[in-house]
Amino acid sequence: MLSAPSSSAGAQPPVALDNVSVSIDGRPVVRCADLTVRTGEFVALMGANGSGKSTLVRAMTGLRPLAAGTASLFGTPLPSFRDWQRVGFVPQRAGAGSGVPASVWEVVASGRLTRRRLFRPLSREDRRMIEDALEVVGLRELARSGISNLSGGQQQRALIARALAGEPDLFLLDEPTAGVDLPHQEALADALGTLAGRGATIVLVAHELGPMRPLVDRAVVMRSGRIVYDGAPLDDHEVHSPHLGEAHTHHHVEPQQDHVPFVASPLDTPEGDR
């Protein structure tokens, strides 16, 4: 079985952002964001396309530099953070027609590179973790299939398994349900429910939650680069209400207080939702 996150992870919050701003090509995309994610939380980072949610989650990993403010992971300022095996980043997927001659097993196995020395053969423990990750996402029977032959939802589950194989304490998932049909959304929800049940900390970027809704502990909603709501989970229609964040509806609640070396696969794409 995949191990649960270490108890030491609770000493400091996995994610702490203080007055963070991010600009892309000189244009402000995230503005003055404050966010703390506590150990074991399942946080949904939501908002319309272009609201800044994908940029914010990438700022948590150093994939987008900060224009202002500070960020820390597990109590360590981001510029000094080196314990990257504790972070699993699942990017938005590419199309299934990429023609990559790699199997599902090989893609998932690449997630073990943060746990072993370069060019070192896979150990028995590595193989056990790969098999367990495939089991969690329901892809064990497709392990030897070509990754490009899988459906979009199956590809996304393979990327989650790749992150899971590295045994991270913190999972950052960027729009895993985008373009995925309902049965595969439900399979993704089952996999994330297993991770949440083991005590993992999860930050999920989503336009809508669908089957993920029962898993969420807390919703953070962005609009025009700013956090306008931070509190109890919301229904999808509430997230997109034009009145969200106004005093007479929900108000913003202050939460308690080098690059991620994830292994790129040809499924990874440039940032699609700023």
Side-chain angles (χ1 to χ4, degrees):
M1 294 289 292
L2 287 159
S3 58
S6 61
S7 59
S8 62
Q12 295 286 347
V15 177
L17 307 180
D18 182 14
N19 200 34
V20 161
S21 295
V22 181
S23 296
I24 297 177
D25 297 328
R27 180 173 64 88
V29 177
V30 173
R31 308 163 189 261
C32 307
D34 294 321
L35 178 64
T36 299
V37 179
R38 295 176 290 277
T39 300
E41 274 195 306
F42 193 127
V43 175
L45 184 57
M46 305 184 71
N49 291 335
S51 62
K53 57 189 186 295
S54 287
T55 298
L56 184 62
V57 82
R58 286 171 175 262
M60 296 177 191
T61 67
L63 291 169
R64 282 291 180 189
L66 306 186
T70 60
S72 63
L73 297 176
F74 302 101
T76 302
L78 192 58
S80 304
F81 188 76
R82 298 292 181 269
D83 204 9
W84 290 112
Q85 69 269 18
R86 299 185 69 182
V87 181
F89 176 58
V90 181
Q92 294 182 32
R93 66 176 182 86
S98 57
V100 180
S103 69
V104 174
W105 196 93
E106 289 168 333
V107 169
V108 176
S110 69
R112 291 299 294 173
L113 290 179
T114 59
R115 291 283 178 178
R116 60 191 180 90
R117 294 178 181 176
L118 195 62
F119 304 123
R120 176 186 171 189
L122 289 170
S123 67
R124 181 177 298 178
E125 177 68 6
D126 291 329
R127 293 179 182 277
R128 184 178 71 84
M129 299 307 298
I130 293 164
E131 293 297 328
D132 285 346
L134 286 165
E135 182 70 27
V136 168
V137 302
L139 292 180
R140 176 169 274 183
E141 294 183 359
L142 295 174
R144 301 301 171 183
S145 299
I147 191 71
S148 62
N149 295 327
L150 268 59
S151 69
Q154 290 169 330
Q155 287 185 18
Q156 195 62 53
R157 280 188 279 155
L159 294 182
I160 292 172
R162 183 183 70 179
L164 181 55
E167 302 177 83
D169 296 313
L170 169 65
F171 289 86
L172 305 173
L173 301 102
D174 191 1
E175 294 274 19
T177 60
V180 175
D181 61 20
L182 182 58
H184 284 109
Q185 289 182 35
E186 292 171 342
L188 283 166
D190 287 343
L192 294 182
T194 299
L195 300 184
R198 294 176 177 180
T201 304
I202 299 172
V203 177
L204 170 74
V205 176
H207 181 68
E208 295 181 338
L209 291 176
M212 308 285 185
R213 172 65 174 75
L215 303 175
V216 174
D217 298 312
R218 180 170 146 220
V220 176
V221 181
M222 298 190 68
R223 185 167 294 162
S224 300
R226 296 184 183 275
I227 293 176
V228 297
Y229 176 88
D230 184 347
L234 300 172
D235 291 331
D236 289 337
H237 72 277
E238 293 180 286
V239 171
H240 303 290
S241 166
H243 302 297
L244 184 67
E246 294 181 3
H248 64 279
T249 58
H250 297 287
H251 63 280
H252 179 78
V253 178
E254 288 297 331
Q256 302 173 8
Q257 290 288 319
D258 334 84
H259 247 43
V260 177
F262 77 91
V263 182
S265 83
L267 297 177
D268 299 339
T269 59
E271 179 177 359
D273 171 20
R274 295 183 176 179

